[in-house]
Amino acid sequence: EIEVETEKTGLGTPAVDAYEGWVDPMSGQNWGATHYRRQNATPGWSATLRLKLSGQVFRALFPVVSTNDGTSTLAAAKECVNRALKFSLEDLETNSRQATPAERVGTYQYQQDLALSSIFSAKFCYSDHTAWHGDYHFNEFYFDFVRRDPVELETFFQMVETNLPAARALAKEAFKCRGAAWGVASFPRKFERLPTTNLDWDYSIECTGLVFQPFWHAYLYTMDREFLKRRAYPAIKEAALFYTDYVTLEKDGLYHIGPCVSSEHMRLQPYLRYNRDSQGALGACRYILNAAIEAVRGLNVDHELSRSWQNIVDQLAPYPVEETPEGPRFVDVAGARLMTEYNIFQPLSAVFFWDDIGLASPAEQIIVAKRTLKGLVRLGTTHWGHVYRAMIRLGMWPGDVIKGTCEHLIQSHQGPIFLFPAVPDGYTDEFEDLRARGAFRVSAAIAKGRLTRVKIKSLAGETCRVDVSRFKRMPAVRCLETGSYVETATDADRFLVFATIPGETYALQLR
């Protein structure tokens, strides 16, 4: 039986999530509730299918099409079913059941079926109990390679590569720039031009960097030169060209970024006040350009471009700060006071997202970052997951371990390997076979705060730099395959430096 209703109101998705009712900081209006009321007051059409069964088990395929899919909805529906029938019914059922976000970090499932999202231009995205309206949200995207194999991101890489022409079209048409740009959200399909899904967050210029950053991460953790040549550098180059055109050299001799929006915070402001030089945008620009420069050095290509990128990095505006009685601390955008109601940890995105400030940074930067962190904790931030990640990356034990991360055990996101960098005094633990940048696999043990065992396997023959401050004195390095000791050097009196050979394992030990 099919029941059809026409010109019926109240067909919109109910506002069941309290977050949808957040307050617009510019107008003070509850725009979420207003949007729902306006949508539900609009008359629409619905059809309800009822199946009468008598103990039968069945499977059904329901193609959902609209006039956006073609001039003939019936033909589009038949084509949709024919495509689906190329798979087994079991595969289709499994795909549908897996539509909710997977537990594993970095795993993406196609969000489909059921509740129709009602948020602005994302309202045509079907989702099956998915967070953030069923789209791929790129202003919070981060993938941890310490425990995960980069191959887990293969489908993500393919999605980005498939839509590179569409990302170039977005950069050209929306931002008048070369290269490729990405907005805050996208969907699992091929586009002629990437969608603009949210006027405010699409100006979160760091989204482009966050989309392309995993290509560079995958290379750094594998040192696969073929991947660098064929996939990582071509992708990173597109983002670098976008940032090259988006920055502006001003009279103060510095490159500035604007307009830009600090994600989940400032939005586009009247007269673009607070829409310039956000920490997220500056961090993304610096990260992508440095990655492109390093790639050029390794591949011996595009030297002229590399010089222009280096010039921008050298003259890029500094991260914004605010002055306090205790001294300066970072803010997410100049002129904005330190706030806590963030969906992302913007005031320290240079620490968490952009690998620019951390344990290998100059002491002055670390002091300012820790002061910022303490200010946020004192203000009572609600986003403790981001607070913990920032604390760990600054070498501070958060009092608990965040599920899914091993950064209290090992860090290498700035290059040098730090062992047990964020653990309390007297800590005892061990880990096996965790990944580090440079294609190293590391195992280590600590007893009462002192390193007792360190083994580092080199997969690509890169030079290894290890922080050895937890040893009582400078250790020696012995190759386990040959039994001989390896020549070492020290860097800044804190890092042990030694050359490696692919496939060999090295033990750090006191003689």
Side-chain angles (χ1 to χ4, degrees):
E1 295 180 355
I2 299 180
E3 177 186 343
V4 177
E5 296 181 283
T6 60
E7 298 299 311
K8 180 177 173 133
T9 59
L11 294 177
T13 306
V16 295
D17 189 342
Y19 182 79
E20 302 301 359
W22 72 306
V23 175
D24 183 338
M26 289 173 57
S27 67
Q29 298 297 313
N30 189 322
W31 62 263
T34 302
H35 181 73
Y36 280 111
R37 285 196 298 269
R38 184 169 61 251
Q39 175 177 291
N40 291 328
T42 303
W45 177 95
S46 72
T48 303
L49 174 67
R50 293 185 175 86
L51 301 174
K52 293 184 177 180
L53 304 172
S54 56
Q56 300 174 11
V57 177
F58 77 101
R59 290 189 177 99
L61 297 179
F62 293 93
V64 180
V65 299
S66 75
T67 51
N68 285 331
D69 299 295
T71 55
S72 170
T73 53
L74 181 60
K78 289 179 178 179
E79 182 184 356
C80 182
V81 172
N82 286 330
R83 283 200 310 268
L85 287 175
K86 294 179 181 179
F87 302 90
S88 69
L89 292 178
E90 290 75 14
D91 289 339
L92 290 169
E93 183 180 23
T94 298
N95 188 39
S96 182
R97 290 183 183 278
Q98 291 178 344
T100 51
E103 287 286 329
R104 297 175 66 193
V105 176
T107 300
Y108 286 83
Q109 301 290 353
Y110 174 47
Q111 318 301 350
Q112 58 185 19
D113 303 341
L114 304 182
L116 188 62
S117 173
S118 60
I119 300 300
F120 304 119
S121 58
K123 62 191 175 189
F124 297 113
C125 176
Y126 283 88
S127 60
D128 189 350
H129 188 61
T130 59
W132 317 126
H133 329 302
D135 62 19
Y136 286 1
H137 232 54
F138 291 124
N139 64 346
E140 301 178 65
F141 180 74
Y142 190 84
F143 186 81
D144 184 2
F145 287 97
V146 175
R147 291 190 306 160
R148 312 278 181 192
D149 193 319
V151 74
E152 292 185 28
L153 273 189
E154 178 56 33
T155 54
F156 173 80
F157 293 148
Q158 290 181 18
M159 181 195 73
V160 174
E161 291 167 333
T162 297
N163 271 315
L164 271 180
R168 293 189 194 103
L170 178 66
K172 180 180 179 180
E173 295 173 22
F175 300 108
K176 308 295 188 252
C177 294
R178 293 174 298 167
W182 225 277
V184 71
S186 188
F187 307 93
R189 53 161 288 190
K190 186 175 181 179
F191 295 92
E192 292 183 3
R193 199 206 81 171
L194 288 180
T196 48
T197 61
N198 186 300
L199 181 60
D200 292 299
W201 308 148
D202 278 339
Y203 273 93
S204 298
I205 301 302
E206 62 266 28
C207 292
T208 295
L210 286 168
V211 168
F212 289 101
Q213 184 185 52
F215 285 88
W216 188 242
H217 277 174
Y219 167 67
L220 291 178
Y221 279 86
T222 62
M223 302 307 293
D224 183 340
R225 288 185 58 82
E226 189 62 23
F227 178 83
L228 173 66
K229 179 180 179 180
R230 292 191 304 107
R231 305 181 74 180
Y233 178 59
I236 290 292
K237 180 180 177 180
E238 296 285 350
L241 288 172
F242 170 72
Y243 285 121
T244 300
D245 286 0
Y246 201 79
V247 299
T248 302
L249 181 62
E250 298 186 6
K251 293 180 180 179
D252 60 1
L254 299 176
Y255 285 93
H256 295 270
I257 301 180
C260 59
V261 171
S262 177
S263 284
E264 313 289 348
H265 178 206
M266 294 309 301
R267 313 186 72 181
L268 286 169
Q269 298 292 316
Y271 309 105
L272 295 180
R273 189 185 303 122
Y274 311 129
N275 295 129
R276 165 186 164 93
D277 289 344
S278 70
Q279 186 178 147
L282 291 169
C285 181
R286 181 174 284 109
Y287 182 94
I288 291 295
L289 294 184
N290 277 328
I293 292 166
E294 188 174 338
V296 164
R297 193 178 300 122
L299 295 174
N300 196 26
V301 296
D302 293 337
H303 295 293
E304 186 174 345
L305 274 176
S306 180
R307 284 189 287 272
S308 68
W309 294 332
Q310 187 65 62
N311 182 55
I312 294 172
V313 170
D314 292 342
Q315 297 173 256
L316 193 61
Y319 295 128
V321 298
E322 68 172 354
E323 294 298 330
T324 73
E326 295 82 18
R329 62 185 180 189
F330 293 116
V331 290
D332 60 327
V333 61
R337 298 200 58 184
L338 191 66
M339 296 176 65
T340 60
E341 294 301 320
Y342 289 89
N343 216 29
I344 350 177
F345 208 43
Q346 287 288 12
L348 287 176
S349 58
V351 174
F352 177 54
F353 285 122
W354 299 118
D355 305 338
D356 192 33
I357 300 175
L359 296 177
S361 297
E364 312 82 61
Q365 274 193 327
I366 297 176
I367 290 171
V368 176
K370 287 185 175 181
R371 184 182 296 127
T372 306
L373 180 63
K374 290 176 181 177
L376 286 161
V377 172
R378 190 161 56 244
L379 287 171
T381 180
T382 57
H383 298 287
W384 283 104
H386 290 120
V387 172
Y388 282 6
R389 294 297 291 265
M391 290 180 74
I392 288 174
R393 286 201 167 195
L394 292 173
M396 302 165 69
W397 172 247
D400 199 359
V401 176
I402 306 172
K403 183 179 179 182
T405 181
C406 291
E407 290 186 335
H408 66 296
L409 301 176
I410 183 172
Q411 291 181 29
S412 63
H413 52 272
Q414 289 187 289
I417 298 172
F418 289 85
L419 302 168
F420 303 100
V423 298
D425 293 338
Y427 189 74
T428 298
D429 202 350
E430 61 182 351
F431 64 82
E432 301 291 332
D433 207 30
L434 293 181
R435 288 178 170 83
R437 290 194 177 187
F440 297 109
R441 304 295 283 268
V442 184
S443 302
I446 190 173
K448 297 181 179 180
R450 294 291 185 183
L451 286 172
T452 58
R453 175 174 60 88
V454 178
K455 290 196 305 182
I456 301 175
K457 183 172 183 178
S458 174
L459 303 181
E462 294 291 308
T463 298
C464 186
R465 298 175 71 214
V466 188
D467 172 63
V468 291
S469 59
R470 288 194 176 275
F471 277 103
K472 293 181 179 179
R473 58 183 185 276
M474 191 64 68
V477 178
R478 185 167 64 91
C479 176
L480 296 184
E481 283 74 18
T482 64
S484 58
Y485 285 94
V486 175
E487 183 178 347
T488 64
T490 58
D491 181 8
D493 295 325
R494 61 184 299 192
F495 300 119
L496 186 67
V497 183
F498 58 96
T500 70
I501 296 175
E504 292 191 347
T505 303
Y506 303 86
L508 276 61
Q509 54 194 217
L510 298 175
R511 294 207 220 198

